[in-house]
Amino acid sequence: MASSSTRAASPAATRERLLRSAHAMFYADGYGVSIDALAQHAKVAKPTVYAHFASKEAILEAVLRRADDAWFGTLDAELARREGDPVERVMAPFDLLVADLPDPAYHGCLLINSAAASLAADHPAHRALTAHHTRMLAVFESLLADAGAAGPAPLARQLLLLYDGVKARGLIDHSGAAAQDARAAATALLTSALPA
């Protein structure tokens, strides 16, 4: 009988290892990572990668979907923690962006970075970023309405621009200052939209 250390990993465990490796590599090195490098990093044979994913685009799509779901899970938990303070709930996305900074390993947003690597509008990275923006816009609009802001839709779009700016700035600024500046700007915008 084979020991637990020599038994083949289950398909679910192998898929998980591939997704973790792909996330780490795409984030650190961009979308140009080869399937060979990914297989080596995940310690699997190249055919094993293709047994789980039809293409590199399929791997990227799964990684981005998973990162997006993780972000919204973290955001939902933070919003629940701030229940009862509608203004602080609006600021939660900005506070989460700076939570682990400064960090020299921070390279901005995986979704934005991946979309920037391909100009094709039908690329999985563009679809993932569009879905993320749609979802964040709805979150901002709902939070702003709950806070009593006048005209929540235009203000939600403005906050989305600040939010994206923080993530794009993260490519060169690992300090968290951009998130703090965006939070200050968001606070000023929100204050001007609240009833006197």
Side-chain angles (χ1 to χ4, degrees):
M1 182 169 151
S3 72
S4 60
S5 63
T6 60
R7 272 186 255 164
S10 72
T14 301
R15 180 181 171 84
E16 174 67 20
R17 192 166 66 247
L18 283 165
L19 286 171
R20 285 180 188 262
S21 289
H23 183 277
M25 295 185 79
F26 289 151
Y27 189 67
D29 301 320
Y31 185 62
V33 170
S34 70
I35 293 294
D36 289 322
L38 174 58
Q40 183 177 8
H41 189 273
K43 297 179 175 50
V44 298
K46 187 174 178 179
T48 301
V49 177
Y50 288 113
H52 289 273
F53 299 99
S55 64
K56 188 165 79 167
E57 288 81 9
I59 298 168
L60 179 65
E61 190 167 16
V63 166
L64 296 177
R65 186 179 322 111
R66 186 172 150 138
D68 196 45
D69 289 344
W71 163 256
F72 282 104
T74 301
L75 179 58
D76 288 345
E78 184 62 20
L79 292 173
R81 193 182 73 71
R82 296 179 187 209
E83 192 65 44
D85 190 339
V87 171
E88 279 304 304
R89 285 169 53 90
V90 173
M91 297 301 123
F94 300 101
D95 294 340
L96 287 175
L97 289 176
V98 75
D100 296 324
L101 298 178
D103 178 0
Y106 180 68
H107 301 296
C109 173
L110 180 62
L111 284 105
I112 290 174
N113 296 350
S114 297
S118 173
L119 300 179
D122 63 342
H123 191 273
H126 282 261
R127 291 193 304 267
L129 183 59
T130 299
H132 179 79
H133 280 166
T134 300
R135 200 168 167 188
M136 274 307 302
L137 197 58
V139 167
F140 276 131
E141 193 166 343
S142 174
L143 293 172
L144 289 164
D146 290 348
L155 184 52
R157 291 192 302 272
Q158 293 168 1
L159 294 184
L160 184 62
L161 285 172
L162 290 171
Y163 168 84
D164 277 346
V166 171
K167 296 185 298 175
R169 182 85 181 138
L171 285 168
I172 57 171
D173 179 0
H174 310 144
S175 71
Q180 293 165 353
D181 293 343
R183 189 190 203 285
T187 299
L189 288 169
L190 178 57
T191 299
S192 70
L194 292 176

